Amino acid sequence: MKIYKTKRGIVIEHLNHYFLSKQQDWDSFINRSNLFSRIADEVRSLRGAASMDDLPEIVLAPIGHQEVWASGVTYMRSREARMEESKDAGGGDFYARVYEAERPELFFKAPAHRTVGTGQPVRIRKDSKWNVPEPELTLFICSTGSIEGYTIGNDMSSRDIEGENPLYLPQAKSYDGAAALGPCIYVAESTIASNTKISIAIQRDQELLFSNEISIARMKRKHTELVEYLFREMSFPFGAFLMTGTGIVPPESFTLRSGDEIKISIEHIGVLVNTVA
Ligand code: DO4
Ligand code: MG
């Protein structure tokens, strides 16, 4: 099942049918344990009554009062790219160490007001010259700490700022329009398939500039391990989103420009499309 936050209300997609939920508050709708069975109950009660022909045109980012957090260096490609970009600053060793360490790298990415949904523009910083999107499977975790759903995340990153000094990470990662989430939350009866593929395509002036794909099986850490660290000493009264890190980093010669279209697809979830403002 997929759930969408739309201008018309909360829409549930089940077996290619769309249902407008009777519930109107996004935060209390998503922040429930056993979310799958609760939504399945609601779909049973709605069946026949409130089916819609299609999804409303405007789909919003699937976020209310949740914070967006992110994980780092969870794939070998990310480790290599960070070591390369920070070698002049002598920071390369940190990335090799965190890749092997027991404690993962977790960082605050964005509150809802800096997060955009599908079809909305993402941004690159005016004081940065080297920018990339990071396509990441993103977990939705309810306030009691269980993973209840999955969405697509784009962890927009300024590689020159991050590479200059690892202590600049918050500035490289957090700014207006640096996070995109969407188009829905995929809520399943069990965990997402371990061979789920993530793919990205970046177009400039209708031309494909870069594309790649990776399976989440290549990730070094378990989702539950990341969540366990995130929830160790922090409470999330509305639940939280956690980006799980990127396994795709474009070559060093690549940087985003205004007008580029970034399309990230994750099997079972859908496609997140954003254009650089
Ligand atoms: O350590 C820097 C950020 C890493 C990151 O965002 C990623 O691996 O996806
Ligand atoms: Mg990332």
Side-chain angles (χ1 to χ4, degrees):
M1 267 182 306
K2 297 180 186 180
I3 50 177
Y4 296 87
K5 187 178 185 189
T6 80
K7 282 228 161 137
R8 283 191 56 192
I10 299 170
V11 175
I12 305 166
E13 181 186 342
H14 180 55
L15 302 174
N16 296 321
H17 290 282
Y18 297 99
F19 302 93
L20 190 60
S21 170
K22 291 211 169 95
Q23 306 198 42
Q24 288 175 5
D25 181 60
W26 181 255
D27 287 337
S28 47
F29 182 76
I30 63 171
N31 186 29
R32 294 181 287 175
S33 51
N34 299 318
L35 190 56
F36 178 86
S37 52
R38 287 163 195 254
I39 299 174
D41 286 347
E42 187 178 355
V43 166
R44 268 190 289 278
S45 76
L46 289 173
R47 209 169 258 162
S51 175
M52 307 165 80
D53 290 339
D54 218 336
L55 195 60
E57 230 167 68
I58 304 197
V59 172
L60 307 170
I63 187 169
H65 286 89
Q66 296 76 27
E67 297 173 7
V68 182
W69 282 72
S71 323
V73 200
T74 52
Y75 290 81
M76 180 55 91
R77 173 68 188 121
S78 178
R79 172 190 179 276
E80 284 166 357
R82 310 296 154 186
M83 288 177 75
E84 187 58 32
E85 78 193 7
S86 63
K87 65 177 187 300
D88 294 344
D93 188 43
F94 287 116
Y95 296 108
R97 280 197 268 159
V98 82
Y99 185 75
E100 298 298 340
E102 196 178 324
R103 183 187 293 275
E105 177 196 359
L106 298 175
F107 57 92
F108 179 69
K109 176 69 186 170
H113 74 270
R114 290 201 196 101
T115 304
V116 302
T118 194
Q120 295 184 304
V122 286
R123 292 186 61 254
I124 51 182
R125 292 182 64 111
K126 292 192 194 79
D127 58 358
S128 167
K129 293 189 178 62
W130 187 18
N131 290 274
V132 291
E134 294 188 355
E136 308 192 7
L137 176 68
T138 301
L139 314 175
F140 172 68
I141 309 135
C142 79
S143 51
T144 53
S146 55
I147 299 169
E148 298 294 337
Y150 303 87
T151 187
I152 304 175
N154 179 354
D155 171 23
M156 292 286 289
S157 302
S158 297
R159 293 192 67 186
D160 49 348
I161 296 178
E162 179 183 81
E164 194 178 330
N165 189 320
L167 298 178
Y168 292 156
L169 185 87
Q171 295 176 72
K173 294 287 193 176
S174 266
Y175 56 87
D176 291 341
L181 289 184
C184 62
I185 300 181
Y186 164 65
V187 182
E189 209 165 359
S190 55
T191 53
I192 198 162
S194 59
N195 58 356
T196 298
K197 284 201 183 62
I198 302 178
S199 57
I200 185 165
I202 305 172
Q203 292 218 328
R204 180 171 299 160
D205 304 327
Q206 329 283 5
E207 249 179 64
L208 183 65
L209 266 192
F210 173 78
S211 67
N212 207 340
E213 72 167 32
I214 191 157
S215 161
I216 64 167
R218 304 268 298 275
M219 194 169 140
K220 173 92 188 320
R221 298 181 187 266
K222 294 195 179 75
H223 297 156
T224 47
E225 176 190 341
L226 298 173
V227 172
E228 195 270 310
Y229 271 95
L230 184 66
F231 275 65
R232 263 193 192 184
E233 290 291 339
M234 282 192 291
S235 51
F236 296 95
F238 302 100
F241 289 93
L242 178 58
M243 295 180 171
T244 57
T246 189
I248 301 175
V249 183
E252 289 206 10
S253 54
F254 178 88
T255 185
L256 284 170
R257 267 200 228 146
S258 174
D260 290 352
E261 183 198 70
I262 305 158
K263 216 181 248 189
I264 303 174
S265 312
I266 302 189
E267 286 175 321
H268 315 291
I269 307 175
V271 189
L272 172 68
V273 188
N274 302 97
T275 299
V276 180

